[in-house]
Amino acid sequence: MRSSSDVNDHLQNSHYKSDIYHTFQFCHWILKPLGIYFFLHDHVNKFEKIVSVLLIIICCSILQFVIVPFGYYILFYEKDMNMKIKFLGPLAFCVTALFKYGYLGVKSSELGRCVKHVKKNWKMLQDKDHRAIMVRYVTMGRNLITLCAAFMYTGGLSYHTIMPLLSKKKINENITIRPLTYPGYEAFFDIQESPTYEIVYCMHCVYVLITGNITMAAYSLTAIFTTHACGQIKIQTLRLENLRKDGKALKNGIEDHLAVIVSEHVEILRFTKNIETALQGLFLIEVMLSTLLICLLEYYCMMEWETSDSVAISTYIILLTSFTFNILIYCYVGELLLGQGSEIATALYDIEWYNLPGRKARDIVLVLAISKYPLKLTAGKILVLSMNTFGVVLKSSLVYLNMLRTVTEF
């Protein structure tokens, strides 16, 4: 192992500014329009705070512009049970988007601590091999965010723009009724008049961008934080592998090397705990929402298949793929963290600690015991995010689909 890595860890990474920018670039793009990005940092001037507050007010107003009339329409106006079920999915997504937005704001201080931790790690990173590992994991996180964004915005925009425009328009005598994604404005004003319809339609387009950003904010923060933790674990694994290859270090200076590894491992455990504290509520919302929406989207596809509406079927399939893939990403990063956490224990065991003198062997055993502490992300401390949880979500959605079909047939 390169001894300069441990000795010079206090030195500053000469590329840390570009590394930090590369790490949080997508988060910056996603969170800044929501007004949350500035609250994740300590050094924010008064003007930036004012802009953030204004953006939050605007975003909340647009969310309420959709949720209030849409909820009123479903509760008090719509009498057809099939239509109520059809609108249940969009309403659930609207309401949870508002909850997630508020949750991100409430947890901004905890998220800010995680951001500060990531920046500190980048600043102290000195070894070129270690930096290469971190860059590789940052690239992985960026790729996951890109895939999530592609599915999320494609599905959302197609549902809010293409589907209303290309769906079959209802004809009432000689009047063509132009559809909207979220009905309910008829109780307040004549929605079919111009430019009222165009204004509401544009507001819906802005709304889908806001809700998409809210959803992507959770994905991006989870991906960046988790891949960063995995990169840090990989660095400790590399240190242990180099220690195993260095016979002199095992016999003479193992205490110093272990001190560095234990210190870094404890920091990783604390960082993972901070991620868990900051985002566990959001994970629970995502798991519950994904289960519900996957079930409903499967039901919508079956309903539209009977009416042969190809545009609606295509849109629902895109949305179904989007929500399925997004919950898969959550479970994948959770599984990735679980797998990486066990690598430290494996690397420690490969040192052949049982051949070392008694005192040094005891030191290794203590570190081995600490490394057995599981690194995991949970959904509200109820479900561990893993590929097994992804299977549970899919199975649950199918169970609820069968229940829904049974109820609607009567």
Side-chain angles (χ1 to χ4, degrees):
M1 189 176 91
R2 298 183 182 183
S3 59
S4 61
S5 173
D6 297 334
V7 175
N8 296 328
D9 267 352
H10 66 282
L11 298 179
Q12 190 179 89
N13 172 19
S14 58
H15 304 283
Y16 84 94
K17 289 186 178 180
S18 60
D19 290 337
I20 291 173
Y21 175 79
H22 187 68
T23 301
F24 289 105
Q25 183 181 17
F26 288 170
C27 290
H28 179 84
W29 292 349
I30 294 168
L31 293 173
K32 196 170 183 180
L34 298 176
I36 300 176
Y37 184 80
F38 300 109
F39 291 105
L40 303 182
H41 302 273
D42 294 331
H43 305 291
V44 180
N45 58 45
K46 188 175 181 180
F47 176 75
E48 290 174 334
K49 290 182 179 179
I50 294 174
V51 171
S52 296
V53 172
L54 290 176
L55 287 172
I56 291 172
I57 293 173
I58 292 171
C59 291
C60 288
S61 300
I62 294 175
L63 291 173
Q64 295 293 339
F65 179 79
V66 173
I67 293 174
V68 172
F70 188 40
Y72 176 84
Y73 177 84
I74 295 174
L75 292 175
F76 302 106
Y77 184 79
E78 184 59 61
K79 304 300 181 183
D80 187 356
M81 182 56 64
N82 287 328
M83 293 303 297
K84 283 181 178 288
I85 295 173
K86 187 174 182 179
F87 290 138
L88 177 61
L91 181 62
F93 183 78
C94 294
V95 174
T96 52
L98 186 60
F99 274 108
K100 286 188 285 186
Y101 192 31
Y103 185 91
L104 289 172
V106 170
K107 292 291 184 177
S108 59
S109 59
E110 287 88 344
L111 294 171
R113 282 198 292 269
C114 294
V115 171
K116 187 185 297 185
H117 183 96
V118 173
K119 289 183 176 181
K120 184 186 74 172
N121 285 156
W122 275 113
K123 192 172 184 179
M124 299 302 178
L125 199 62
Q126 189 69 19
D127 191 281
K128 292 182 179 179
D129 294 337
H130 296 174
R131 182 175 178 272
I133 291 172
M134 294 303 299
V135 170
R136 186 168 72 248
Y137 276 93
V138 167
T139 303
M140 179 191 296
R142 288 168 62 93
N143 291 338
L144 291 175
I145 295 171
T146 302
L147 286 173
C148 284
F151 280 102
M152 176 58 62
Y153 291 115
T154 300
L157 289 173
S158 62
Y159 180 75
H160 289 80
T161 58
I162 298 175
M163 191 171 171
L165 292 176
L166 299 184
S167 294
K168 298 176 182 178
K169 297 182 179 180
K170 302 175 183 178
I171 307 297
N172 183 10
E173 296 179 356
N174 295 326
I175 301 174
T176 301
I177 299 177
R178 296 179 289 182
L180 282 172
T181 306
Y182 304 105
Y185 298 93
E186 294 82 0
F188 305 96
F189 43 78
D190 187 359
I191 194 62
Q192 296 300 319
E193 288 187 356
S194 294
T196 305
Y197 177 85
E198 288 76 10
I199 293 174
V200 174
Y201 181 83
C202 291
M203 290 291 286
H204 285 178
C205 293
V206 176
Y207 164 82
V208 70
L209 294 177
I210 293 174
T211 54
N213 275 21
I214 293 171
T215 305
M216 283 306 306
Y219 290 135
S220 61
L221 290 171
T222 302
I224 291 300
F225 293 155
T226 306
T227 53
H228 181 84
C230 291
Q232 289 292 306
I233 294 170
K234 196 68 176 179
I235 289 174
Q236 307 317 312
T237 305
L238 179 62
R239 282 174 169 160
L240 288 169
E241 290 175 354
N242 291 335
L243 182 61
R244 176 175 58 84
K245 296 175 183 177
D246 190 351
K248 293 182 180 180
L250 283 175
K251 294 180 180 179
N252 302 322
I254 191 173
E255 292 84 359
D256 295 335
H257 294 281
L258 283 179
V260 174
I261 293 170
V262 171
S263 175
E264 294 293 332
H265 188 229
V266 170
E267 286 295 317
I268 295 170
L269 292 175
R270 289 174 179 169
F271 178 57
T272 308
K273 185 64 177 178
N274 289 337
I275 300 173
E276 167 83 3
T277 302
L279 295 174
Q280 62 179 348
L282 207 58
F283 294 153
L284 181 61
I285 294 174
E286 289 292 346
V287 170
M288 295 173 62
L289 179 65
S290 296
T291 304
L292 174 64
L293 291 182
I294 290 173
C295 166
L296 291 174
L297 286 168
E298 291 167 344
Y299 180 75
Y300 298 158
C301 289
M302 296 172 63
M303 288 178 59
E304 298 300 340
W305 186 270
E306 296 177 357
T307 60
S308 301
D309 191 341
S310 58
V311 175
I313 293 173
S314 301
T315 303
Y316 287 137
I317 289 176
I318 294 173
L319 286 172
L320 178 60
T321 305
S322 172
F323 285 108
T324 304
F325 181 81
N326 289 336
I327 190 61
L328 172 63
I329 292 299
Y330 272 121
C331 295
Y332 171 75
V333 296
E335 184 76 25
L336 184 66
L337 189 61
L338 282 171
Q340 289 286 347
S342 63
E343 286 189 5
I344 292 182
T346 303
L348 276 167
Y349 198 82
D350 289 341
I351 290 178
E352 298 181 354
W353 53 270
Y354 40 82
N355 291 328
L356 294 174
R359 184 176 178 181
K360 293 182 179 180
R362 285 196 298 270
D363 294 338
I364 293 287
V365 171
L366 288 173
V367 180
L368 185 62
I370 296 174
S371 66
K372 287 294 184 180
Y373 187 84
L375 296 173
K376 60 184 179 180
L377 300 176
T378 65
K381 296 185 178 180
I382 299 174
L383 293 171
V384 177
L385 292 183
S386 63
M387 296 308 295
N388 182 58
T389 302
F390 177 68
V392 170
V393 170
L394 294 184
K395 291 178 183 177
S396 300
S397 66
L398 290 175
V399 171
Y400 296 145
L401 175 63
N402 289 330
M403 292 175 58
L404 184 60
R405 290 183 62 191
T406 302
V407 171
T408 54
E409 285 177 358
F410 290 100

